Amino acid sequence: MAKEELNFSYKRTFITHTRRQIVRGFTRSIPNLRVLPRGWHKKIFIKAANKLRKIHMIWKNKRYKISQDLKRKKQIELKMLAEYLFKDKKCSYECNTRSLFLNERLNSLEKYLKMTFMRTLNEKYVYGVKVVKFDRKGYKRRTRLLILTNKSFCLNKILKNKLRLKEKIPLDLIQKLEVTSGMDNFLLIKISPQYKHNKGDIILEVPYLIEFVTKFINISGNYKLLNINKLGVNKKLLHDIKGSKSGVIELKEHNSTPSITKDKYKNLIVCG
């Protein structure tokens, strides 16, 4: 047993000695940096560096082209969906689809608040825009930051340095998106009674309405969500209010400019 341990000790010493000699031989083959002129390493590797630079540029160009192709494809898909939903059905379709659809319509502060808010959710951001929300009773106007994710619809109150969540509704519990056929930006979101925090339907004025609705329906995958109401005399739309009778929204053809106002009977008037 002692003899085997002795042999193992000799082998370990031999291996260590061999490794030491290899390292010493390697260090003797390294050029003396004090003797070589400055930039010697650049001259040695300049050809390889040029080849790598060309390969890198080709890779960057290819990656950029792929990203642009994907963006262009997404734009085409969204524009085709918008055409299917709105063409010859809503008057503002032509002027609202000339430019590219964007992922958000926020200023720098709103973008910062949005990023902070999204850190609290385990969801994917889809779209953001500042909107006007009307109270269900009295129809008082309130500014809100609308954030659409792949799972929910969020309305946030804008504070000085953060967003306060006012309403968060799962997309699968939204029953209808009601709009008019006019030039207005009116949107009524009808909520399923199965939603346990349901306060009633949501009334909004949404800039870039067609852009938002198209993205909403694209992410939900349900084309039947949208309903376009024609304007005219005695055209009305009812909206639900929790614990109260339904509210009335009158839909009228516009005389000059589109507007959303309240009349003397405390009904909401949408002039498209």
Side-chain angles (χ1 to χ4, degrees):
M1 187 70 181
K3 187 175 181 180
E4 290 180 359
E5 290 180 357
L6 185 62
N7 290 335
F8 178 76
S9 176
Y10 285 150
K11 288 180 181 179
R12 186 169 56 185
T13 304
F14 174 75
I15 292 171
T16 303
H17 174 73
T18 304
R19 287 176 177 172
R20 188 180 295 115
Q21 291 301 317
I22 291 173
V23 172
R24 285 177 178 173
F26 175 73
T27 55
R28 283 193 293 270
S29 65
I30 295 176
N32 190 336
L33 300 181
R34 288 176 292 183
V35 176
L36 292 172
R38 291 182 180 180
W40 66 272
H41 56 290
K42 294 182 180 178
K43 292 179 181 179
I44 291 175
F45 296 110
I46 191 166
K47 186 179 289 187
N50 287 336
K51 287 185 177 180
L52 288 173
R53 191 177 293 109
K54 289 179 181 179
I55 293 171
H56 183 244
M57 287 301 298
I58 292 170
W59 174 77
K60 285 180 67 176
N61 290 335
K62 186 176 181 180
R63 188 178 67 169
Y64 176 78
K65 185 177 183 299
I66 291 172
S67 67
Q68 292 302 307
D69 288 345
L70 290 174
K71 288 179 182 178
R72 180 175 173 81
K73 180 183 177 183
K74 189 65 177 177
Q75 281 291 324
I76 292 172
E77 290 174 349
L78 288 173
K79 289 298 179 72
M80 288 176 66
L81 178 57
E83 181 180 1
Y84 171 78
L85 295 172
F86 293 103
K87 189 174 183 180
D88 300 327
K89 301 173 187 175
K90 186 164 178 64
C91 296
S92 60
Y93 167 75
E94 294 293 341
C95 59
N96 276 259
T97 54
R98 291 172 185 168
S99 58
L100 295 175
F101 285 168
L102 303 182
N103 292 330
E104 59 191 9
R105 299 285 182 172
L106 307 175
N107 60 34
S108 55
L109 174 60
E110 292 161 356
K111 288 179 181 178
Y112 170 75
L113 296 177
K114 177 262 296 184
M115 290 174 61
T116 306
F117 173 75
M118 287 304 299
R119 292 193 189 104
T120 65
L121 302 179
N122 187 24
E123 301 175 17
K124 183 180 178 182
Y125 174 77
V126 175
Y127 188 74
V129 65
K130 188 158 65 174
V131 302
V132 173
K133 176 191 175 288
F134 294 87
D135 287 351
R136 297 173 181 89
K137 291 184 179 180
Y139 303 116
K140 184 176 180 180
R141 301 170 70 95
R142 303 190 186 273
T143 302
R144 295 286 184 263
L145 191 67
L146 185 161
I147 292 178
L148 178 67
T149 75
N150 63 326
K151 295 180 180 179
S152 59
F153 169 92
C154 306
L155 280 179
N156 300 274
K157 184 177 180 179
I158 304 173
L159 302 178
K160 186 175 181 180
N161 57 354
K162 66 176 181 178
L163 297 178
R164 179 184 294 169
L165 182 63
K166 301 297 288 185
E167 297 193 64
K168 184 174 185 287
I169 303 162
L171 296 186
D172 56 356
L173 293 178
I174 292 178
Q175 289 184 325
K176 280 290 180 183
L177 301 177
E178 300 278 359
V179 303
T180 76
S181 58
M183 296 290 293
D184 58 88
N185 290 320
F186 167 79
L187 173 64
L188 174 65
I189 300 178
K190 299 193 76 66
I191 312 300
S192 170
Q194 297 178 358
Y195 180 47
K196 62 181 180 180
H197 302 297
N198 189 5
K199 301 175 184 177
D201 298 335
I202 299 174
I203 308 167
L204 301 174
E205 185 175 17
V206 184
Y208 309 96
L209 177 66
I210 290 177
E211 179 179 80
F212 167 71
V213 172
T214 302
K215 285 181 174 287
F216 189 105
I217 292 180
N218 181 64
I219 199 69
S220 69
N222 185 0
Y223 294 3
K224 296 180 180 180
L225 279 176
L226 180 64
N227 184 42
I228 301 178
N229 300 270
K230 291 186 177 180
L231 301 169
V233 181
N234 297 325
K235 294 285 186 179
K236 295 181 179 180
L237 195 59
L238 301 180
H239 66 91
D240 295 333
I241 306 172
K242 184 180 180 180
S244 179
K245 64 179 183 179
S246 298
V248 179
I249 302 171
E250 296 185 28
L251 310 177
K252 298 183 178 181
E253 292 182 311
H254 70 91
N255 295 323
S256 54
T257 56
S259 63
I260 303 176
T261 56
K262 186 171 64 173
D263 69 0
K264 61 181 180 180
Y265 302 107
K266 297 184 178 179
N267 291 334
L268 195 66
I269 310 295
V270 178
C271 295

